[in-house]
Structures are given as C-alpha cells and as structure tokens.
Amino acid sequence: MLNLNPDATQAEIDQAFMAMAIREAMIAESKEEIPIGAVVVLDGKVIGRGHNQNKTLIDPTAHAEMIAITAACNKIQLRYLESATLYVTIEPCSMCAGAIVLARVPRLVFGARDSKAGACGSVFNLVQDPRLNHQVEVVGGVKDFECAALITEFFESIREKRRKSDHEQN
C-alpha cells in the first residue's frame, strides 16, 4: 500500500504506482532483459508484479504484464481481475492486450506508447474492441518520458556494444 495523502488525485496515484512499475523495469534491465515492468493494483495494494524475463526463462511469452497478471490471479485465487488496475511502463503488445481482456482488467495505465507493436491504441486497439466481451479503460502517457528513456537507453547501449565488438573484430 502506498503512503499517499488521502486527498491524492487519481493522477497522483497513477504516478506513484507507475514509479513501482518503473522499478520493476529496472530489475529487468539489471538482468539484461528489455526494461519493461508492470504492477497490478487492487484496493490500493499491489497484488502482482512483473518484469520482462524472456531471456531468463527462455520464454517469448514472459512479458512483464503476463507475469504480473499471473501473480495477481494467484494472489487473490481468481482468474479475473475485475476491480484491478494494471500499470505497465510500455503500451502492451497484442499478446498482453489479449491477456488483459481475458483477465477482465477494467483499467490499464501505461507509460510510453509503442509505435511498432502497441495494441492499446497505437498500432491496434484490442483492449477497446467492441467485438470483444470486455473493454478496458486506457490511460496512456503516465511518466511517458521516463518510461521511454529506459527503452531508448537500453537499445542504444546494445547498439553501442555491437559497434565496439564489430570494431574490435576488424
């Protein structure tokens, strides 16, 4: 539970929980994983956390959102998160957006948009597709610069390492 002012606005609450998701992303980065983090919140308490673990688990589905949703469902012993909010540092991909719909998460808050694979408004909008049995309220752009910087710096670092390696081989 956060120690927030009882009069905190929803925007202040979202900022505080996004900071927790960013900490999860930093854990992923420390493991040389793509730095994306997520937390699931129910009644002001974090009930699930996750960060990307694709390399660690040798699993292409080990995205932060998937891990956080699974942890939250296990914590409350229900397969639906009907009163929860999912905070994630980057706009979810189509796989994660599908999981969000299937878990019946009513509210999604994300940091930076993903112009290549975002499925919550950028490239696709699976979570608000009226053909599905559940639609999600989406709030994007919370701490967007900080979230985007994590990803940008991570990939710049990888490119720099490759350049140095290529230079040393020549």
Side-chain angles (χ1 to χ4, degrees):
M1 191 140 170
L2 284 179
N3 265 340
L4 282 175
N5 174 341
D7 298 325
T9 66
Q10 187 61 58
E12 291 169 330
I13 293 167
D14 289 347
Q15 294 271 331
F17 283 117
M18 185 59 72
M20 290 182 174
I22 289 169
R23 285 195 289 279
E24 286 294 318
M26 295 169 92
I27 293 169
E29 184 174 38
S30 74
K31 298 176 181 179
E32 298 183 352
E33 296 276 4
I34 296 173
I36 299 174
V39 294
V40 178
V41 175
L42 180 66
D43 299 328
K45 297 177 185 170
V46 174
I47 60 167
R49 298 175 184 272
H51 54 270
N52 273 14
Q53 296 186 57
N54 306 92
K55 285 173 55 178
T56 304
L57 299 176
I58 312 170
D59 180 356
T61 69
H63 289 196
E65 303 94 318
M66 303 294 279
I67 293 167
I69 288 169
T70 298
C73 289
N74 285 330
K75 173 89 173 178
I76 64 171
Q77 290 295 293
L78 295 170
R79 64 181 174 154
Y80 299 126
L81 299 170
E82 294 176 313
S83 299
T85 298
L86 172 64
Y87 293 85
V88 61
T89 56
I90 302 296
E91 178 182 358
C93 69
S94 56
M95 174 185 69
C96 294
I100 291 164
V101 170
L102 291 173
R104 296 186 186 158
V105 173
R107 186 166 184 267
L108 165 68
V109 178
F110 69 83
R113 293 203 172 277
D114 183 345
S115 62
K116 293 182 180 178
C120 300
S122 291
V123 179
F124 307 107
N125 195 354
L126 292 176
V127 296
Q128 293 180 327
D129 190 319
R131 295 171 293 184
L132 299 177
N133 68 336
H134 177 76
Q135 288 80 43
V136 179
E137 174 192 348
V138 177
V139 178
V142 176
K143 292 188 174 278
D144 58 344
F145 294 114
E146 193 173 344
C147 293
L150 281 170
I151 296 288
T152 301
E153 291 166 11
F154 176 79
F155 284 112
E156 283 175 359
S157 171
I158 288 174
R159 285 190 289 276
E160 182 61 27
K161 287 177 187 173
R162 282 189 190 139
R163 280 192 290 271
K164 284 182 181 179
S165 176
D166 290 348
H167 180 72
E168 289 171 1
Q169 290 176 1
N170 292 331

